[in-house]
Amino acid sequence: MNTRTLERVTLENRLRQALERHELVVLYQPQVAMDTGQVTGAEALVYWLHPELGLLSPGNFIPMAEEIGFITDIDDWVLETACAQNKAWQDQGYRSFNVTVNMSSKQFRRPDLVDQVRRVLNATGLPPRFLELEITEGTAMKDIEYTIPSLNTLTGMEVGFAIDDFGTGYSSLSCLKKLPIRKLKIDKSFIFGVNTDPNDKAIVATIIAMAHNLKLEVIAEGVEDADQLEFLHQNHCDQMQGFLYSRPIPAEDFRRLIM
Ligand code: C2E
Ligand code: MG
Ligand code: MG
């Protein structure tokens, strides 16, 4: 075995132990209303506090977790942690807002998904309307006849759905119109380009207009500077998320933002 394969195998084995060893942490990135500047949500992002390698961002290990079939364990844990955290903030008397949890395709396809979400909501006591689940276009559009019943049941319970990384996957508009979703999240690659690329400007403006015509909310991710924010303002985007306002931060620091 060459060194890279060996490193990979070691990392895979370590990842399986990371949960039991309490090395995974959830950081929260604020979502902000464009008109009021108020925090309207917190996206839960899982990080790995690796004893030797330091803090690893999800991009470094989520794809591996998907490959080795460990992603549903992670998604379960993040869902429970994030719901419990949001309930704790509510119990501490802060103004209520949504917590947004990313859901892998594998998790979304679990036959017991609805039961699992209901169980976590019951166990944590978080009212369902304060939970939003993010799935990608690929996850939502694949086997649409199969996904719509789960979406309908969860939406019926008042759990919200957002389409993550919108514009980068394979979206069919005839599928999109059938999905009982609440929100589109414009992928950050388009937001990065709005200052310099007329095509990105056109795409972002079009997604915002389309979302509103479909009576959906729309949020921009990856907002890093004031010019991008201004462009989103002019085009009436509802919410923003990005380093300009805050990076993903520990729950304790998030509390200071909502005080
Ligand atoms: P995502 O859900 O699209 O999350 C947004 C990513 O953009 C995050 O990267 C966030 O840190 C980054 N980001 C936010 N604002 C900015 C900005 O202004 N500039 C730049 N350059 N980046 C920004 P992160 O934390 O590395 O997460 C990567 C992906 O990992 C997430 O993309 C999500 O798909 C996945 N992920 C994270 N947590 C979970 C989880 O608990 N379960 C599953 N299934 N996937 C997760
Ligand atoms: Mg996301
Ligand atoms: Mg995204």
Side-chain angles (χ1 to χ4, degrees):
M1 257 194 293
N2 63 37
T3 346
R4 282 194 64 175
T5 321
L6 190 62
E7 270 170 16
R8 201 189 144 81
V9 171
T10 313
L11 205 60
E12 281 179 10
N13 288 333
R14 286 290 291 107
L15 183 55
R16 288 181 211 275
Q17 299 163 346
L19 253 180
E20 312 158 11
R21 296 191 180 178
H22 306 289
E23 291 169 4
L24 296 186
V25 288
V26 178
L27 300 187
Y28 298 88
Q29 189 177 35
Q31 302 179 332
V32 181
M34 296 282 295
D35 51 356
T36 63
Q38 267 195 341
V39 173
T40 55
E43 179 171 12
L45 294 156
V46 64
Y47 280 67
W48 182 6
L49 199 50
H50 191 288
E52 289 97 42
L53 303 174
L55 191 65
L56 299 180
S57 67
N60 295 117
F61 62 92
I62 288 286
M64 180 184 284
E66 283 171 347
E67 275 173 46
I68 64 175
F70 189 59
I71 189 68
T72 49
D73 298 79
I74 294 180
D75 281 356
D76 277 347
W77 179 78
V78 173
L79 180 67
E80 190 140 4
T81 306
C83 288
Q85 181 60 64
N86 201 19
K87 176 71 164 100
W89 282 322
Q90 294 188 357
D91 288 348
Q92 289 159 21
Y94 300 108
R95 198 177 33 78
S96 303
F97 51 82
N98 291 330
V99 71
T100 300
V101 176
N102 292 284
M103 190 165 266
S104 66
S105 202
K106 187 155 182 226
Q107 178 79 339
F108 187 66
R109 297 208 137 54
R110 273 170 63 162
D112 61 342
L113 172 69
V114 173
D115 291 341
Q116 168 63 2
V117 173
R118 196 179 277 128
R119 196 189 61 72
V120 169
L121 289 168
N122 285 338
T124 59
L126 182 72
R129 67 178 186 286
F130 297 115
L131 172 63
E132 181 175 85
L133 297 173
E134 260 183 23
I135 53 178
T136 62
E137 288 165 285
T139 302
M141 309 282 165
K142 195 168 127 201
D143 301 330
I144 188 140
E145 301 313 323
Y146 176 83
T147 57
I148 284 182
S150 311
L151 280 172
N152 276 334
T153 311
L154 288 164
T155 310
M157 289 160 54
E158 291 192 287
V159 172
F161 275 88
I163 304 291
D164 203 357
D165 305 339
F166 187 77
T168 58
Y170 296 98
S171 243
S172 136
L173 296 179
S174 61
C175 287
L176 186 67
K177 71 168 188 186
K178 289 190 213 156
L179 297 175
I181 52 169
R182 177 195 284 175
K183 197 188 275 185
L184 297 183
K185 184 183 260 193
I186 309 171
D187 188 69
K188 53 182 175 299
S189 60
F190 303 117
I191 308 301
F192 293 160
V194 291
N195 296 337
T196 49
D197 185 341
N199 288 334
D200 284 331
K201 270 198 169 85
I203 289 168
V204 170
T206 305
I207 296 176
I208 296 170
M210 182 185 72
H212 287 160
N213 287 331
L214 290 168
K215 307 274 185 286
L216 300 174
E217 287 174 38
V218 59
I219 180 168
E221 69 173 9
V223 181
E224 293 187 349
D225 66 45
D227 291 339
Q228 294 163 346
L229 188 68
E230 178 54 26
F231 181 80
L232 294 166
H233 243 304
Q234 282 168 2
N235 286 277
H236 311 289
C237 190
D238 303 309
Q239 291 156 26
M240 65 80 108
Q241 179 177 343
F243 294 172
L244 178 64
Y245 189 85
S246 169
R247 287 180 176 262
I249 49 177
E252 189 44 38
D253 297 341
F254 200 95
R255 210 164 65 88
R256 260 172 249 142
L257 280 181
I258 52 176
M259 278 211 272

